[in-house]
Amino acid sequence: MLNFNYVMETTVKIINSIRAKPLQRRLFRLFLEQVDAIYGDLPLHCDIRWLSKGLILSRFRELLSYIKEFSKENNKNWHFLENPDWLINLAFLTDITSKLNELNLELQGKNRYIIDMISSINAFIMKLELWISQIRKENFTHFPNIEDEFTKQLVNKNHYVNEFAMVLEKIMNEFNNRFSDFKKITILCSFFVSPFMDVDIENISEEFSKIFDVDRRKSQIEIINLKNDITLKLHSNVNMWKFMSQEKYPILIDSYQRILSCFGSTYLFETSFSSMKMIKSQYRTRLTDDHLGDCMRIAISLYEPEFEIIASELQCQKSH
């Protein structure tokens, strides 16, 4: 079985050889136009962009037949394009990177709390378990590129099936190790999302005590009060936490706010720096720190001021 790094390196090499030279790129684009290809060009790989590998692999494989024909017309010695091992590995790499890209997109964006991210990670780990089981049975329902390639190549699937299952197991183990801390707060996140579900009060109060360092006895009393609060049950379909009394549920409210304040990814930090770069341009030399903070808050948050209320409170200057 070929090394995935080799597949990736050779794919990038082909793309760069086509795109690096202006003449080659023009000829390739003209060739794609003549054959009415679905795409008109190949994307350039960039290590900095976190979705780049998945995108170029997907586009490369969709244009693979045209790339083969173009290489023959231009006497390019890309012999591995006819190698069944290389093509099957390319198909698997395309499928798995596309799935990782989908997960990456789920974890990015505003208003993505750690509760949402834990749900996405746990779901992906469960998907990996399903894919491993299905691949061992030679069921490639969720891997369309592999399924397509196996229909073209007359090879023994057993060898590839075991190898691909081992790769997925390594990915699953890596996820379990990397996100092991999520398991510690999963039960609390489930409680915060659905506080009226049946739970072991002693068990969940112990988790509150471990993670938030709160009085276990008081947390037990608050949980019991919450589960029997008829008024809050009326708001269970919406964000009931904003209707809760701080005096009655101080531990639960504080713990809930601390969970929401956790940063599950660096997305907000990265967007903050990007926004600050746009705000602090060379044309705004008199921008103060206070004004910068206000501009950053507007740029990053989704809060929309009530302009009508603000305007109604302002006194218009009357003419004399």
Side-chain angles (χ1 to χ4, degrees), residues 128-143 146-147 150 157-166 168-169:
L128 285 169
E129 294 176 354
L130 173 66
W131 297 336
I132 292 169
S133 174
Q134 289 182 337
I135 280 185
R136 290 196 183 279
K137 298 175 184 177
E138 298 187 6
N139 180 356
F140 306 104
T141 303
H142 297 280
F143 292 83
I146 296 178
E147 190 172 31
F150 274 139
K157 296 181 182 179
N158 291 333
H159 170 68
Y160 296 99
V161 163
N162 293 329
E163 293 288 348
F164 292 156
M166 288 175 60
L168 293 177
E169 285 176 350

Side-chain angles (χ1 to χ4, degrees), residues 27-251:
L27 290 174
F28 183 68
R29 294 174 68 177
L30 181 62
F31 173 76
L32 292 178
E33 184 179 345
Q34 291 174 348
V35 296
D36 292 329
I38 188 172
Y39 297 111
D41 200 359
L42 282 169
L44 188 64
H45 173 56
C46 178
D47 285 327
I48 299 175
R49 296 183 178 179
W50 45 278
L51 294 177
S52 181
K53 287 184 179 179
L55 293 175
I56 69 162
L57 286 170
S58 178
R59 181 73 62 85
F60 181 86
R61 196 173 183 284
E62 289 178 357
L63 295 176
L64 185 58
S65 59
Y66 304 117
I67 293 172
K68 288 180 181 180
E69 190 174 345
F70 180 77
S71 66
K72 291 178 182 178
E73 290 184 1
N74 291 270
N75 298 321
K76 297 290 184 181
N77 187 23
W78 295 330
H79 57 87
F80 42 81
L81 293 180
E82 303 296 338
N83 186 328
D85 284 340
W86 191 90
L87 293 171
I88 291 172
N89 278 270
L90 173 66
F92 176 78
L93 201 58
T94 303
D95 281 329
I96 195 62
T97 51
S98 67
K99 296 183 185 306
L100 290 171
N101 279 1
E102 291 173 5
L103 176 63
N104 268 325
L105 290 173
E106 279 187 42
L107 299 177
Q108 308 301 319
K110 295 181 179 179
N111 280 355
R112 296 292 296 171
Y113 299 108
I114 194 169
I115 294 176
D116 304 313
M117 297 180 184
I118 290 175
S119 301
S120 297
I121 294 297
N122 290 341
F124 190 77
I125 292 174
M126 189 172 290
K127 290 174 187 176
L128 285 169
E129 294 176 354
L130 173 66
W131 297 336
I132 292 169
S133 174
Q134 289 182 337
I135 280 185
R136 290 196 183 279
K137 298 175 184 177
E138 298 187 6
N139 180 356
F140 306 104
T141 303
H142 297 280
F143 292 83
N145 287 292
I146 296 178
E147 190 172 31
D148 176 64
E149 198 60 44
F150 274 139
T151 59
K152 300 176 182 177
Q153 307 294 339
L154 299 177
V155 294
N156 182 10
K157 296 181 182 179
N158 291 333
H159 170 68
Y160 296 99
V161 163
N162 293 329
E163 293 288 348
F164 292 156
M166 288 175 60
V167 171
L168 293 177
E169 285 176 350
K170 289 181 180 179
I171 295 174
M172 185 174 66
N173 292 334
E174 186 66 26
F175 267 77
N176 284 324
N177 294 332
R178 184 70 63 88
F179 299 102
S180 58
D181 289 340
F182 279 2
K183 295 179 181 178
K184 300 176 183 178
I185 61 174
T186 297
I187 185 174
L188 294 182
C189 291
S190 300
F191 172 77
F192 289 135
V193 172
S194 182
F196 298 110
M197 66 179 183
D198 293 331
V199 293
D200 187 334
I201 294 177
E202 290 190 2
N203 183 31
I204 200 166
S205 63
E206 184 179 355
E207 295 297 324
F208 270 102
S209 178
K210 287 180 182 178
I211 296 174
F212 300 114
D213 192 23
V214 297
D215 191 314
R216 184 177 178 182
R217 293 171 299 175
K218 291 182 179 179
S219 64
Q220 289 176 349
I221 298 301
E222 288 191 21
I223 293 171
I224 293 174
N225 289 338
L226 173 63
K227 294 181 72 64
N228 292 277
D229 195 319
I230 298 176
T231 304
L232 289 177
K233 285 183 179 180
L234 297 175
H235 303 287
S236 59
N237 293 329
V238 294
N239 187 6
M240 48 153 275
W241 293 93
K242 63 183 179 182
F243 298 103
M244 292 175 63
S245 169
Q246 181 70 42
E247 296 179 357
K248 189 175 181 180
Y249 305 106
I251 293 177

